[in-house]
Coordinates of all heavy atoms in Angstrom, one line a residue:
M2 N -9.7 63.8 118.9 CA -10.2 65.2 118.4 C -10.2 65.3 116.9 O -11.2 65.6 116.3 CB -9.2 66.2 119.0 CG -9.7 67.6 118.8 SD -11.3 68.0 119.7 CE -11.7 69.6 119.1
Y3 N -9.0 65.0 116.3 CA -8.9 65.0 114.8 C -9.8 64.0 114.2 O -10.4 64.3 113.1 CB -7.5 64.8 114.4 CG -6.6 66.0 114.7 CD1 -5.6 66.0 115.6 CD2 -6.8 67.3 114.1 CE1 -4.8 67.1 115.9 CE2 -6.1 68.4 114.3 CZ -5.0 68.3 115.2 OH -4.2 69.4 115.5
A4 N -10.0 62.9 114.8 CA -10.8 61.8 114.2 C -12.2 62.3 114.1 O -12.9 62.0 113.2 CB -10.7 60.5 115.0
L5 N -12.7 63.0 115.2 CA -14.1 63.5 115.2 C -14.3 64.5 114.1 O -15.3 64.5 113.3 CB -14.4 64.1 116.5 CG -14.8 63.1 117.7 CD1 -15.0 63.9 119.0 CD2 -16.0 62.4 117.3
I6 N -13.3 65.4 113.9 CA -13.4 66.4 112.8 C -13.5 65.7 111.5 O -14.3 66.1 110.6 CB -12.2 67.4 112.9 CG1 -12.4 68.2 114.2 CG2 -12.2 68.3 111.7 CD1 -11.1 69.0 114.6
V7 N -12.6 64.7 111.3 CA -12.5 64.0 110.0 C -13.9 63.3 109.7 O -14.4 63.4 108.6 CB -11.4 63.0 110.0 CG1 -11.5 62.1 108.8 CG2 -10.0 63.8 109.9
L8 N -14.4 62.7 110.8 CA -15.7 62.0 110.6 C -16.8 63.0 110.3 O -17.6 62.7 109.4 CB -16.1 61.3 111.9 CG -15.4 59.9 112.1 CD1 -15.8 59.3 113.4 CD2 -15.9 58.9 110.9
Q9 N -16.8 64.1 110.9 CA -17.8 65.1 110.6 C -17.7 65.6 109.2 O -18.7 65.8 108.5 CB -17.7 66.3 111.6 CG -18.3 66.0 113.0 CD -18.2 67.2 113.9 OE1 -17.4 68.0 113.8 NE2 -19.2 67.3 114.8
L10 N -16.4 65.8 108.7 CA -16.2 66.3 107.4 C -16.7 65.2 106.4 O -17.4 65.5 105.4 CB -14.7 66.5 107.1 CG -14.2 67.9 107.6 CD1 -12.7 68.0 107.4 CD2 -14.9 69.0 106.9
L11 N -16.4 63.9 106.7 CA -16.8 62.9 105.8 C -18.4 62.8 105.7 O -18.9 62.4 104.7 CB -16.3 61.5 106.3 CG -14.8 61.3 106.0 CD1 -14.3 60.0 106.5 CD2 -14.6 61.3 104.5
T12 N -19.1 63.1 106.8 CA -20.5 63.0 106.8 C -21.1 64.3 106.1 O -22.2 64.2 105.5 CB -21.1 62.9 108.2 OG1 -20.6 63.9 109.0 CG2 -20.8 61.5 108.8
V13 N -20.4 65.4 106.2 CA -20.9 66.7 105.6 C -20.7 66.8 104.1 O -21.5 67.3 103.4 CB -20.3 67.9 106.4 CG1 -20.6 69.2 105.7 CG2 -20.9 67.9 107.8
V14 N -19.5 66.3 103.7 CA -19.1 66.5 102.3 C -20.1 66.0 101.3 O -20.5 66.7 100.3 CB -17.7 65.9 102.1 CG1 -17.4 65.7 100.6 CG2 -16.6 66.8 102.7
P15 N -20.7 64.7 101.5 CA -21.7 64.3 100.5 C -22.9 65.2 100.4 O -23.4 65.4 99.3 CB -22.1 62.9 101.1 CG -20.9 62.5 101.9 CD -20.3 63.7 102.5
Y16 N -23.3 65.8 101.5 CA -24.4 66.7 101.5 C -24.1 67.9 100.7 O -24.9 68.4 99.9 CB -24.8 67.1 102.9 CG -25.6 66.0 103.7 CD1 -25.0 65.4 104.8 CD2 -26.8 65.6 103.3 CE1 -25.6 64.4 105.5 CE2 -27.5 64.6 104.0 CZ -26.9 64.0 105.1 OH -27.5 63.0 105.8
I17 N -22.9 68.5 100.9 CA -22.4 69.6 100.2 C -22.4 69.3 98.7 O -22.8 70.1 97.8 CB -21.1 70.1 100.7 CG1 -21.2 70.6 102.1 CG2 -20.5 71.2 99.8 CD1 -19.9 70.9 102.8
M18 N -21.8 68.2 98.3 CA -21.7 67.8 96.9 C -23.1 67.6 96.3 O -23.3 68.1 95.2 CB -21.0 66.4 96.8 CG -19.5 66.5 97.2 SD -18.5 67.5 96.1 CE -18.4 66.3 94.7
R19 N -24.0 67.1 97.1 CA -25.4 66.9 96.6 C -26.0 68.3 96.4 O -26.8 68.5 95.4 CB -26.2 66.1 97.6 CG -27.5 65.5 97.0 CD -28.2 64.6 97.9 NE -27.4 63.5 98.3 CZ -27.6 62.7 99.4 NH1 -28.7 63.0 100.1 NH2 -26.9 61.7 99.6
L20 N -25.8 69.2 97.3 CA -26.3 70.6 97.2 C -25.8 71.2 95.9 O -26.5 71.8 95.1 CB -25.9 71.4 98.4 CG -26.9 71.4 99.6 CD1 -26.4 72.2 100.7 CD2 -28.3 71.9 99.1
F21 N -24.5 71.1 95.7 CA -23.9 71.7 94.5 C -24.4 71.1 93.2 O -24.7 71.8 92.3 CB -22.3 71.5 94.5 CG -21.6 72.6 95.3 CD1 -20.8 72.2 96.3 CD2 -21.8 73.9 95.0 CE1 -20.1 73.2 97.0 CE2 -21.1 74.9 95.7 CZ -20.3 74.5 96.7
H22 N -24.7 69.8 93.3 CA -25.2 69.1 92.1 C -26.6 69.6 91.8 O -27.0 69.8 90.7 CB -25.2 67.6 92.4 CG -25.4 66.7 91.2 ND1 -24.5 66.7 90.2 CD2 -26.4 65.9 90.8 CE1 -24.9 65.9 89.3 NE2 -26.1 65.4 89.6
M23 N -27.4 69.7 92.9 CA -28.8 70.2 92.7 C -28.8 71.7 92.2 O -29.5 72.0 91.3 CB -29.5 70.2 94.1 CG -30.0 68.8 94.4 SD -30.6 68.7 96.1 CE -31.9 70.1 96.1
M24 N -27.9 72.5 92.7 CA -27.8 73.9 92.2 C -27.4 73.9 90.8 O -27.9 74.6 90.0 CB -26.7 74.6 93.1 CG -27.3 75.1 94.4 SD -26.0 75.6 95.5 CE -25.3 76.9 94.6
A25 N -26.4 73.1 90.4 CA -25.9 73.0 89.0 C -27.1 72.6 88.1 O -27.3 73.1 87.0 CB -24.8 72.1 88.9
N26 N -27.9 71.6 88.6 CA -29.0 71.1 87.8 C -30.0 72.2 87.6 O -30.6 72.3 86.5 CB -29.6 69.9 88.4 CG -28.8 68.6 88.2 OD1 -28.0 68.6 87.2 ND2 -29.1 67.6 89.0
T27 N -30.4 72.9 88.6 CA -31.4 73.9 88.5 C -30.9 75.1 87.6 O -31.7 75.6 86.8 CB -31.8 74.5 89.9 OG1 -30.6 74.8 90.6 CG2 -32.6 73.5 90.7
V28 N -29.6 75.4 87.7 CA -29.1 76.5 86.9 C -29.1 76.0 85.4 O -29.5 76.8 84.5 CB -27.6 76.8 87.3 CG1 -27.0 77.7 86.2 CG2 -27.6 77.6 88.6
A29 N -28.8 74.8 85.2 CA -28.8 74.3 83.8 C -30.3 74.2 83.3 O -30.5 74.6 82.1 CB -28.2 72.8 83.7
G30 N -31.2 73.9 84.2 CA -32.6 73.9 83.8 C -33.1 75.2 83.4 O -33.8 75.4 82.5
F31 N -32.7 76.2 84.2 CA -33.1 77.6 83.9 C -32.5 78.1 82.6 O -33.2 78.7 81.8 CB -32.6 78.6 85.0 CG -33.5 78.6 86.2 CD1 -33.0 78.4 87.5 CD2 -34.9 78.8 86.1 CE1 -33.8 78.4 88.6 CE2 -35.7 78.8 87.2 CZ -35.2 78.6 88.5
K32 N -31.3 77.7 82.3 CA -30.6 78.1 81.1 C -31.4 77.5 79.9 O -31.7 78.2 78.9 CB -29.2 77.7 81.0 CG -28.2 78.6 81.8 CD -26.8 78.1 81.7 CE -25.9 79.0 82.5 NZ -24.5 78.5 82.5
V33 N -31.7 76.2 80.0 CA -32.4 75.5 78.9 C -33.8 76.1 78.7 O -34.2 76.4 77.6 CB -32.5 74.0 79.2 CG1 -33.5 73.4 78.2 CG2 -31.2 73.4 79.1
A34 N -34.5 76.4 79.9 CA -35.8 77.0 79.8 C -35.8 78.4 79.1 O -36.6 78.7 78.3 CB -36.4 77.1 81.2
S35 N -34.8 79.2 79.5 CA -34.7 80.5 79.0 C -34.4 80.5 77.5 O -34.9 81.3 76.7 CB -33.7 81.4 79.7 OG -32.4 80.8 79.6
Q36 N -33.5 79.5 77.1 CA -33.2 79.4 75.7 C -34.5 79.0 74.9 O -34.8 79.5 73.8 CB -32.1 78.3 75.4 CG -30.7 78.8 75.8 CD -29.7 77.7 75.7 OE1 -30.0 76.6 75.5 NE2 -28.4 78.1 75.9
Q37 N -35.3 78.0 75.4 CA -36.5 77.6 74.8 C -37.5 78.8 74.7 O -38.1 79.0 73.7 CB -37.1 76.4 75.6 CG -36.4 75.1 75.3 CD -37.0 74.0 76.2 OE1 -37.8 74.2 77.1 NE2 -36.6 72.8 75.9
Q38 N -37.5 79.6 75.8 CA -38.4 80.7 75.8 C -38.0 81.7 74.7 O -38.9 82.2 74.0 CB -38.4 81.4 77.2 CG -39.5 82.3 77.4 CD -40.9 81.6 77.6 OE1 -40.9 80.5 78.1 NE2 -41.9 82.3 77.2
A39 N -36.7 81.9 74.6 CA -36.2 82.9 73.6 C -36.6 82.3 72.2 O -37.0 83.1 71.3 CB -34.7 83.0 73.7
L40 N -36.4 81.0 72.0 CA -36.8 80.5 70.7 C -38.3 80.6 70.4 O -38.6 81.0 69.3 CB -36.4 79.0 70.7 CG -35.0 78.6 70.3 CD1 -34.7 77.1 70.5 CD2 -34.6 79.1 68.9
V41 N -39.1 80.4 71.4 CA -40.5 80.6 71.2 C -40.9 82.0 70.8 O -41.6 82.3 69.9 CB -41.3 80.1 72.5 CG1 -42.8 80.6 72.4 CG2 -41.2 78.6 72.6
V42 N -40.2 83.0 71.5 CA -40.5 84.4 71.3 C -40.1 84.7 69.9 O -40.8 85.4 69.1 CB -39.8 85.3 72.3 CG1 -39.8 86.7 71.9 CG2 -40.4 85.1 73.7
I43 N -38.9 84.3 69.5 CA -38.4 84.6 68.1 C -39.3 84.0 67.1 O -39.7 84.6 66.1 CB -36.9 84.0 67.9 CG1 -36.0 84.9 68.8 CG2 -36.5 84.0 66.5 CD1 -34.6 84.3 68.9
L44 N -39.8 82.7 67.3 CA -40.7 82.1 66.4 C -42.0 82.8 66.3 O -42.5 83.0 65.2 CB -40.9 80.6 66.8 CG -39.8 79.6 66.4 CD1 -40.1 78.3 67.0 CD2 -39.6 79.5 64.9
N45 N -42.5 83.3 67.4 CA -43.7 84.1 67.4 C -43.6 85.3 66.6 O -44.4 85.7 65.8 CB -44.2 84.4 68.8 CG -44.8 83.2 69.5 OD1 -45.2 82.3 68.8 ND2 -44.9 83.2 70.8
H46 N -42.5 86.0 66.8 CA -42.2 87.3 66.1 C -42.1 87.0 64.6 O -42.6 87.8 63.8 CB -41.0 88.0 66.6 CG -41.2 88.7 67.9 ND1 -42.1 89.8 68.0 CD2 -40.7 88.6 69.1 CE1 -42.1 90.2 69.2 NE2 -41.3 89.5 69.9
T47 N -41.4 86.0 64.2 CA -41.2 85.7 62.8 C -42.5 85.3 62.1 O -42.8 85.8 61.0 CB -40.1 84.6 62.6 OG1 -40.5 83.5 63.4 CG2 -38.8 85.0 62.9
T48 N -43.3 84.6 62.8 CA -44.6 84.2 62.2 C -45.5 85.4 62.1 O -46.2 85.6 61.1 CB -45.3 83.1 63.1 OG1 -45.3 83.5 64.4 CG2 -44.6 81.8 62.9
Q49 N -45.5 86.3 63.1 CA -46.3 87.5 63.0 C -45.8 88.4 61.9 O -46.6 88.9 61.1 CB -46.2 88.3 64.4 CG -47.1 87.7 65.5 CD -46.8 88.4 66.8 OE1 -46.0 89.3 66.9 NE2 -47.6 87.9 67.8
L50 N -44.5 88.5 61.7 CA -44.0 89.2 60.6 C -44.4 88.6 59.3 O -44.8 89.3 58.3 CB -42.4 89.3 60.7 CG -41.8 90.4 61.6 CD1 -40.3 90.2 61.7 CD2 -42.2 91.8 61.2
G51 N -44.3 87.3 59.2 CA -44.8 86.6 58.0 C -46.2 86.8 57.7 O -46.6 87.0 56.6
L52 N -47.1 86.9 58.7 CA -48.5 87.2 58.5 C -48.7 88.6 58.1 O -49.6 88.8 57.2 CB -49.3 86.9 59.9 CG -49.5 85.4 60.2 CD1 -50.1 85.3 61.6 CD2 -50.3 84.7 59.2
L53 N -47.9 89.5 58.6 CA -48.0 90.9 58.2 C -47.6 91.1 56.7 O -48.2 91.8 56.0 CB -47.2 91.8 59.1 CG -47.7 92.1 60.5 CD1 -46.7 92.9 61.3 CD2 -49.0 92.9 60.4
L54 N -46.5 90.4 56.3 CA -46.1 90.5 55.0 C -47.0 89.6 54.1 O -47.5 90.0 53.1 CB -44.6 90.0 54.8 CG -43.6 90.8 55.6 CD1 -42.2 90.1 55.5 CD2 -43.5 92.2 55.0

């Protein structure tokens, strides 16, 4: 009985770890993308201000 539970846990854990890894990667990707987007917006505003001045 316990052996079956342990075997099931051993087969499930790698999937869970992979899911967490994928989630962490996507979250990191979103953070990087949002930072790049913010930089682009700031650059656009500064260039527009520069053109106005």
Side-chain angles (χ1 to χ4, degrees):
M2 187 67 189
Y3 286 114
L5 282 175
I6 294 170
V7 168
L8 275 175
Q9 283 182 332
L10 280 176
L11 282 178
T12 51
V13 168
V14 164
Y16 287 111
I17 294 170
M18 293 293 285
R19 198 175 299 165
L20 271 176
F21 275 124
H22 197 65
M23 282 169 55
M24 282 166 57
N26 280 342
T27 50
V28 167
F31 277 130
K32 281 183 183 174
V33 169
S35 61
Q36 283 174 357
Q37 286 176 347
Q38 196 70 31
L40 276 176
V41 167
V42 168
I43 290 168
L44 281 175
N45 282 343
H46 280 296
T47 51
T48 50
Q49 284 173 358
L50 281 173
L52 286 175
L53 284 173
L54 295 172

